[in-house]
Amino acid sequence: MPTLTARERPAKERPAKQRPTKRSGFTITRKQNLIGWGFLIPAALLIFAMSFLPMFQALIISLRTGRGANMNFADPLWMNYERLLSDSVFKLTMQNTVIYLVIQVPIMLITALVLANLLNSRRLRLKGFWRTAIFLPCAVSLVSYSMVFRTMFSNDGLVNDVLVGVGILDTPVHWLNETGTARFVIIVGLLWRWTGYNMVFYLAGLQSIDPSTLEAAKVDGAGPIRTFWSVTVPQLRPMILLTVIMSTNGTLQLFDESFNLTNGGPSNTSMTMSHYLYELSFRNAPNFGYAAAISYVILILVAVLALIQMRVGDRRG
Amino acid sequence: MADMTVPTGSALLDTLPSPANGQRRRKRRRSAASRWRQVPGYVFLSLAAAASLFPLYFMVVSATNTSRDVLDSRLLPGSNLLANLESLTAGQNLVGALRNSAIIAVLTTVLALIVCSVAGYGFEVFHTKAKDRLMAVLLMAMMIPFAATMIPLFQMFAEVGLFNSWWAVILPAISTPFLILLFRQSARSFPHEILDAARIDGLSELAIFVRIFMPTMRATYAAAAVITFMAAWNNFMWPKVILLTPDAQTMPMLISNLIAGYVTDYGALMLAVLLASLPTMVIFLLLQRAFAEGITGAVK
């Protein structure tokens, strides 16, 4: 299983570390092997107890109905999943989440890529300032920035004051109370918060690109834009794949913005899947079985999209 | 994606002065041309920096203004900072929330750094086929959305009576595949000669880790600390689920509560947001260089 071992170090380097212990090689290697397990066990146990075990428990819960101590297996077993198909709120939250994903992630990643490329230029002045300024939004919590945007986009807030003052708008827009604009504000917020974060990953990737490939492109007469798309971007492919998977994963789990910035409104049209799951689990009459079924839809979406992205990333690479 | 954008690139290429065209011109002209070519870059960077910084400026200024002034889009510092602080502490347990957030974030960061760096080092230095396989399994946990584990975790912590406990927030955040991967990748650049020499000198494996690996990997630790502290300090959904009493609430929960009423005091709200943001911003600014180094080191 070459894909599972995930190691690239050539085998010839490995015997070196065992050489000094050659005389009693077997026992010492074995002892080291055991010590190695000792190093891994705490982390591995925690991940099993806090991620894998609950994940399987959630699957079982998703097959059950009832409350509290009166949870029984549903009849038929897939009842909760069947109910999803006719739940218009669920479909709406799924649609909202997909809209955020499809619009926001590409804009963000392309912007981050362009910014990283500009910052990587040797002749650029004030490099540190640009990098810090663009990354700084990442230091603000999701709840905090949601509140800042909520304030700026409130009915008599800054954005309306400026747009009406400049004459772009005649009357204030109720940004957070209309479907299209509420989604728009969430997307703008996400772009603001996460573009710099992805830029840092691209910057790190750019620094490991061999400058001679860029020189070669220059010698061959390629301009900066051509060099960027044909030489830089292909070499950044692993990093682009990583950021695409991270952003997809993050977007499918959006909660804080939906909860704090728009509170899912108006009438659930900006609510995300995770937000709906929270409402079902911990508001009014909790329904853990049904909520767990929704959590499995999110899980499957994340896994399927990651698999597709990895396959596409591999084939191009 | 690349296929679609290449034509755009070559179309734009024709409109730009390429190095080949300028080769015969004098050096001075060429450097002037290349300076002009940088202008769009500077414009784009300026716009991005302004867009990034403005909401932060708005946050800082609004924390010193009255709610009325915030809505009237006053963009200059005001004199209402203390009054905002008073109205914030009157309605909420601000000190308690800051303390809870700080304890949770610091404990999470310290424990996560220890557990994950030990594991990352172990996966790299003592690697065997079985351990590589375990790593592959652990990496799959990166794909598990928190929503899919939240309900069972809630029941689990409820069973052992850890409602309202810091540990219920800390325990699920200690061991993350991302951090283990970060440390394993940077352990790759750790020279095996040093390991061998230390072993010949009779140092125990743990001593090698503590006395040699940890000090040389300072940049990786800084990057991991920034990432973990920010995530722990800013965590919202899980604390909101498991911390039920007002005394146990964290800063993000407090902020979220400020908009619960019919009338929102925007000055006090922006002050709370500012107070919640200061620690993470200061930590990022202090560790910024090491953070970038740590990420880059892990990528190479």
Side-chain angles (χ1 to χ4, degrees):
Chain A
M1 296 283 276
T3 49
L4 284 187
T5 53
R7 292 195 44 89
E8 286 115 34
R9 187 190 293 279
K12 62 182 175 196
E13 280 183 35
R14 282 177 210 159
K17 66 176 177 184
Q18 288 161 16
R19 203 172 298 140
T21 61
K22 212 171 196 172
R23 230 169 352 131
S24 51
F26 181 72
T27 46
I28 289 191
T29 325
R30 212 176 136 163
K31 193 178 149 209
Q32 279 190 2
N33 184 21
L34 282 178
I35 294 172
W37 283 112
F39 275 62
L40 313 181
I41 292 297
L45 278 183
L46 272 171
I47 289 182
F48 275 100
M50 298 291 151
S51 294
F52 287 115
L53 178 67
M55 183 182 84
F56 288 116
Q57 286 173 326
L59 180 62
I60 294 169
I61 294 171
S62 76
L63 303 175
R64 303 172 77 128
T65 56
R67 309 243 136 90
N70 296 322
M71 293 275 283
N72 292 307
F73 278 105
D75 181 33
L77 263 187
W78 55 87
M79 193 180 86
N80 286 324
Y81 293 92
E82 214 165 14
R83 185 179 151 191
L84 284 174
L85 298 175
S86 54
D87 181 347
S88 59
V89 179
F90 171 71
K91 282 186 210 159
L92 181 60
T93 57
M94 190 161 169
Q95 187 200 333
N96 295 336
T97 311
V98 170
I99 288 174
Y100 298 144
L101 181 71
V102 171
I103 297 179
Q104 186 257 336
V105 172
I107 297 177
M108 171 180 74
L109 293 184
I110 291 173
T111 313
L113 199 51
V114 172
L115 286 170
N117 200 50
L118 286 171
L119 280 182
N120 201 41
S121 147
R122 254 182 301 137
R123 284 172 303 175
L124 187 77
R125 282 154 200 249
L126 298 172
K127 212 176 270 190
F129 168 75
W130 302 118
R131 196 186 48 216
T132 308
I134 295 169
F135 185 81
L136 210 50
C138 293
V140 181
S141 81
L142 304 180
V143 176
S144 298
Y145 98 77
S146 296
M147 291 307 173
V148 174
F149 275 69
R150 193 185 162 103
T151 308
M152 293 199 302
F153 283 94
S154 62
N155 290 344
D156 40 5
L158 177 79
V159 174
N160 275 333
D161 283 358
V162 169
L163 291 181
V164 173
V166 173
I168 295 175
L169 292 177
D170 294 332
T171 51
V173 169
H174 291 203
W175 293 97
L176 303 175
N177 302 331
E178 283 160 35
T179 302
T181 50
R183 289 175 181 159
F184 172 78
V185 173
I186 286 195
I187 289 174
V188 170
L190 288 170
L191 288 173
W192 180 79
R193 175 62 168 70
W194 292 106
T195 305
Y197 181 80
N198 288 286
M199 181 191 77
V200 169
F201 282 86
Y202 291 146
L203 261 179
L206 283 172
Q207 272 153 30
S208 58
I209 285 182
D210 184 356
S212 68
T213 58
L214 303 176
E215 287 299 316
K218 203 173 178 185
V219 170
D220 287 347
I225 292 176
R226 180 70 194 266
T227 309
F228 174 62
W229 286 113
S230 306
V231 182
T232 310
V233 170
Q235 292 193 72
L236 274 182
R237 186 163 287 145
M239 204 45 113
I240 293 173
L241 181 65
L242 176 74
T243 54
V244 168
I245 292 177
M246 285 195 311
S247 320
T248 307
N249 204 333
T251 310
L252 289 175
Q253 298 187 53
L254 276 183
F255 172 75
D256 298 20
E257 291 85 351
S258 174
F259 189 87
N260 291 299
L261 185 47
T262 61
N263 199 13
S267 49
N268 304 332
T269 51
S270 70
M271 189 185 273
T272 61
M273 293 164 82
S274 287
H275 186 182
Y276 185 46
L277 184 147
Y278 174 85
E279 298 280 324
L280 282 172
S281 314
F282 301 107
R283 280 272 168 93
N284 307 326
N287 190 341
F288 281 170
Y290 188 51
I294 291 182
S295 80
Y296 255 71
V297 174
I298 301 178
L299 178 84
I300 289 164
L301 275 177
V302 168
V304 167
L305 285 178
L307 274 179
I308 294 174
Q309 286 158 353
M310 277 190 231
R311 291 203 78 168
V312 171
D314 273 352
R315 197 175 53 222
R316 295 262 178 89
Chain B
M1 191 167 84
D3 300 335
M4 274 167 53
T5 40
V6 164
T8 327
S10 33
L12 275 166
L13 181 69
D14 300 332
T15 65
L16 283 169
S18 78
N21 295 345
Q23 244 162 22
R24 247 178 277 158
R25 290 176 204 159
R26 260 188 259 142
K27 199 182 172 188
R28 201 159 46 98
R29 291 274 310 262
R30 195 167 53 188
S31 72
S34 79
R35 208 166 289 159
W36 276 111
R37 214 183 297 152
Q38 278 187 296
V39 167
Y42 278 109
V43 171
F44 192 61
L45 281 173
S46 307
L47 288 175
S52 297
L53 293 178
F54 180 75
L56 299 175
Y57 175 77
F58 179 77
M59 168 181 92
V60 174
V61 168
S62 298
T64 68
N65 281 322
T66 62
S67 193
R68 186 73 252 144
D69 282 340
V70 174
L71 291 179
D72 285 345
S73 306
R74 187 186 149 94
L75 290 175
L76 295 169
S79 54
N80 212 44
L81 181 66
L82 288 177
N84 285 340
L85 187 63
E86 250 168 56
S87 96
L88 189 58
T89 46
Q92 300 279 340
N93 185 357
L94 178 71
V95 177
L98 282 170
R99 189 200 56 203
N100 291 338
S101 278
I103 291 172
I104 289 172
V106 169
L107 277 178
T108 306
T109 308
V110 171
L111 290 172
L113 255 55
I114 295 172
V115 169
C116 296
S117 69
V118 166
Y121 175 86
F123 273 118
E124 178 60 25
V125 170
F126 303 103
H127 80 94
T128 56
K129 226 172 206 166
K131 293 196 189 83
D132 288 348
R133 271 196 208 116
L134 176 65
M135 183 72 197
V137 172
L138 294 186
L139 280 180
M140 287 197 294
M142 246 200 282
M143 293 288 132
I144 304 175
F146 186 74
T149 59
M150 185 170 71
I151 292 167
L153 278 179
F154 176 81
Q155 294 179 325
M156 198 162 94
F157 283 113
E159 244 167 68
V160 292
L162 280 177
F163 271 146
N164 302 319
S165 155
W166 295 326
W167 291 107
V169 182
I170 295 169
L171 278 173
I174 293 176
S175 183
T176 58
F178 182 81
L179 275 201
I180 299 175
L181 188 66
L182 185 75
F183 279 107
R184 193 194 69 166
Q185 295 301 104
S186 27
R188 270 188 192 174
S189 61
F190 189 62
H192 275 260
E193 294 75 34
I194 294 183
L195 269 178
D196 294 334
R199 279 175 187 151
I200 292 169
D201 286 351
L203 248 64
S204 74
E205 296 296 334
L206 196 63
I208 295 174
F209 176 80
V210 173
R211 289 206 224 143
I212 304 177
F213 180 79
M214 283 176 86
T216 47
M217 292 296 153
R218 246 178 271 147
T220 312
Y221 277 97
V226 170
I227 293 169
T228 314
F229 185 88
M230 282 188 188
W233 178 270
N234 295 336
N235 196 1
F236 175 62
M237 177 147 80
W238 177 237
K240 185 164 178 55
V241 167
I242 199 76
L243 302 178
L244 301 169
T245 58
D247 282 342
Q249 75 175 353
T250 60
M251 264 321 263
M253 292 163 71
L254 181 145
I255 292 170
S256 182
N257 285 342
L258 289 175
I259 53 164
Y262 284 103
V263 184
T264 304
D265 182 343
Y266 285 102
L269 178 67
M270 287 301 110
L271 178 62
V273 165
L274 175 64
L275 289 174
S277 305
L278 279 179
T280 44
M281 281 194 194
V282 168
I283 284 178
F284 171 68
L285 290 174
L286 287 178
L287 296 180
Q288 178 174 201
R289 183 149 302 183
F291 173 77
E293 255 175 60
I295 296 274
T296 313
V299 169
K300 274 186 177 161

